[in-house]
Every structure is written in C-alpha cells, then in structure tokens.
Amino acid sequence: MQKCSPSSNPADFGDFKKRILVAEDNPANQKYVAALLNKLKLEIAIVDNGQKAVEILKNEKFDLIFMDIQMPVMNGFEATREIRRQNNNVPIIALTANAMKGDEQKCLKAGFDAYLAKPLRPQTLQEVLTKYLDKPNHQTNAENDFTKDNTMSGEITSSAAILINWNELNEICDDPEVIQEIAQAVLDDTPGCLNKLTEMIEQQNLPQIEFYAHRLSGAMRTMGATKIVDALKNLEETAGNGDVESIKCIAEDLPRQVNELLAFLSREDWIEQAQKSCAQA
C-alpha cells in the first residue's frame, strides 16, 4: 500500500483531515489520481487490487474510496460487495475506462455510490468530493487548483441545486415568501420522517416503509425535488409488492440525497441558486 501524505495548509473538507483510499492497479492512473487529490492536500492511500482494499478497511477508516472496476485478484464489483457485507457505509466511487450502457445501474446495484469514467476530469473529481465529503468551512488557495471560474462553494451550490426542479416548484407556487415557508416546513419535518423510514427499512416493516416513503415523497414533490420523488415512489411501490430484497438497494442513496437537499434549503440564497441552476440547464 502506498501512502501519500498531505502537504501543509490542507484544504478544509470539514472539521478533520479527510482520508481517501484509491484502489487502482495501473501505475499511471495511480499517479494521476494522486496528483489531483494532492492538490487538495487530502491524505491518500493507494492499493492495487480489490482484496487489499477490503483488508485495509478492516483496520483503517477512510472518508471516501475510488474503486477501479477491472483489477487483479479481486475486481471492483467483488470488493465493493464485500465491503458492503461488512456493513461499511463509506462512499465508494466506481472508476472504469470502458463506459458502457447499463454500467451505471450495475455499479449502483453492486453497492457503489456513484460512477465515473476514466480519465477523471478535475472538475468532475471536484464535484464528487464536495458531494460526498463535508462542506468546506472556508475558502483556501486550493480552490483554484481545479477551476478559475468556480469556487468550491459554487460547485456545492450547483450540485445541490439540481435536486430542485425550479420550473415545477414555481408552477406549484410562484410566491417566494410562501415557497420559503414551505421550505422551512420541509426542513422541520423531513429529518424525523427520514429517520423513521430508515428505521422501518432496517426492520423490513413493509407497511410502514410504504407509509413513510409516501409521506416523504409528498414533501419532496411540493419542493419540486423530482429525482428524490422518483426514488421514493419506486421504494413505495417495491414495499407494496413485498420485494424485501430490492428495498435496501433502492433506498441506499436516499439519505444522502435528502440530506443534501436539506443542507441546500438551509442556505439563505437557495432560491436564487435554484433559479440560476434552472436557467443554466
């Protein structure tokens, strides 16, 4: 295992230093990914196959994993399934050089949180980091290592803003004051509802999963969060059909999406940013 120590003045992705595990067997790709991550002064460990990734996670903690799909000894799919079997919920981002139709769904079913094609683009990497790591506390010079036109906070905003379909929200209500009141109601009610939904999924309580998925989707629909609504509708229908096997897979990404939306709605300028995101779409 290679370890790349961060240089001084690390970028702040939260209140503590973030650790990234890279599982990649190609030396050139290892160096490239490490170079990109080192620009943000993140602590990096590199392994060259999936088995080593599984083993290191038994003794060490990481905040995010970049996992190549095709590796010797144990490939990325096998390694990710094993990591999930160990109840490790660390975000895992799939990396593949051969992006094929259907690969993204295959990755999500295997337990990956997201899917990226190689070679990684700096801006894409930046978006993934700000999406899955804690929001930076303040700006640093490292922000300009990826893009001169957008700061980290701007990337976070654009990433979260796309969760809201502003046109749909505006059709529901075109009064900004009322929209703000709706947003506050969502902020107040959603955390408890999400916690109950998660609890019911763990208990495999199908009627209650249906109930809380339906309740949560109502709030998300009112906010114009169509992507989350679609996931909740799928979850509700799956629970109604008694398909216990599929429920956890369908619901796996829901907490992250909902919490990302709540963090966005907590911003004072969220309406402006949602409008801007819609205009740029």
Side-chain angles (χ1 to χ4, degrees):
M1 179 188 70
Q2 302 176 40
K3 288 191 176 181
C4 306
S5 300
S7 56
S8 59
N9 300 319
D12 287 338
F13 280 95
D15 297 328
F16 54 93
K17 190 182 297 180
K18 298 295 184 179
R19 303 190 70 219
I20 310 297
L21 176 63
V22 178
E24 164 66 65
D25 66 311
N26 185 297
N29 289 337
Q30 288 178 357
K31 290 183 180 296
Y32 176 64
V33 175
L36 294 179
L37 294 173
N38 275 328
K39 286 185 177 181
L40 289 176
K41 315 302 186 292
L42 294 163
E43 185 176 328
I44 310 162
I46 299 175
V47 294
D48 58 11
N49 66 63
Q51 183 62 49
K52 291 181 180 179
V54 171
E55 292 301 319
I56 192 175
L57 285 167
K58 293 178 180 178
N59 302 307
E60 299 185 39
K61 290 186 177 181
F62 292 88
D63 300 290
L64 186 142
I65 300 171
F66 287 105
M67 180 82 72
D68 185 31
I69 296 298
Q70 296 180 330
M71 291 184 291
V73 184
M74 179 182 284
N75 66 38
F77 287 119
E78 295 168 333
T80 297
R81 291 191 187 99
E82 181 59 32
I83 291 167
R84 295 307 185 213
R85 276 196 288 267
Q86 295 173 6
N87 295 318
N88 192 326
N89 293 319
V90 59
I92 306 177
I93 312 301
L95 302 177
T96 179
N98 300 308
M100 303 289 289
K101 185 177 181 180
D103 278 358
E104 182 171 8
Q105 191 61 33
K106 185 178 179 181
C107 288
L108 295 176
K109 286 183 177 180
F112 288 95
D113 293 273
Y115 166 97
L116 296 177
K118 294 189 291 187
L120 283 177
R121 299 294 188 266
Q123 185 170 342
T124 302
L125 178 65
Q126 173 74 17
E127 290 172 354
V128 167
L129 292 172
T130 54
K131 186 174 185 178
Y132 289 97
L133 300 181
D134 290 346
K135 187 184 297 184
N137 287 331
H138 59 268
Q139 296 179 339
T140 69
N141 290 333
E143 294 170 8
N144 294 322
D145 287 338
F146 286 114
T147 172
K148 295 180 179 179
D149 299 322
N150 297 296
T151 64
M152 284 185 178
S153 59
E155 293 297 334
I156 292 170
T157 298
S158 62
S159 174
I162 61 175
L163 290 172
I164 291 179
N165 184 328
W166 178 258
N167 287 334
E168 185 163 323
L169 176 57
N170 202 44
E171 286 181 9
I172 296 171
C173 178
D174 60 1
D175 186 333
E177 289 187 11
V178 177
I179 289 176
Q180 196 65 267
E181 291 177 7
I182 295 172
Q184 188 57 54
V186 170
L187 286 168
D188 292 340
D189 182 70
T190 299
C193 187
L194 179 62
N195 287 340
K196 290 298 296 184
L197 176 59
T198 303
E199 182 182 341
M200 293 303 104
I201 290 172
E202 290 298 322
Q203 296 178 11
Q204 298 185 355
N205 188 326
L206 297 180
Q208 290 297 297
I209 292 172
E210 277 191 273
F211 173 82
Y212 284 106
H214 183 76
R215 176 177 170 178
L216 192 55
S217 67
M220 296 297 103
R221 186 175 289 106
T222 303
M223 286 307 309
T226 53
K227 182 178 179 181
I228 298 177
V229 169
D230 290 341
L232 286 165
K233 183 179 179 181
N234 189 11
L235 178 61
E236 183 181 354
E237 291 176 351
T238 302
N241 292 332
D243 187 357
V244 177
E245 295 282 327
S246 301
I247 284 175
K248 280 196 174 182
C249 180
I250 293 171
E252 188 173 38
D253 200 41
L254 267 174
R256 181 196 59 76
Q257 290 187 41
V258 173
N259 286 324
E260 184 178 10
L261 176 66
L262 294 179
F264 179 62
L265 293 177
S266 298
R267 295 177 58 118
E268 292 184 0
D269 65 342
W270 77 265
I271 290 180
E272 177 186 347
Q273 295 300 332
Q275 291 172 326
K276 185 182 299 184
S277 177
C278 180
Q280 293 173 349

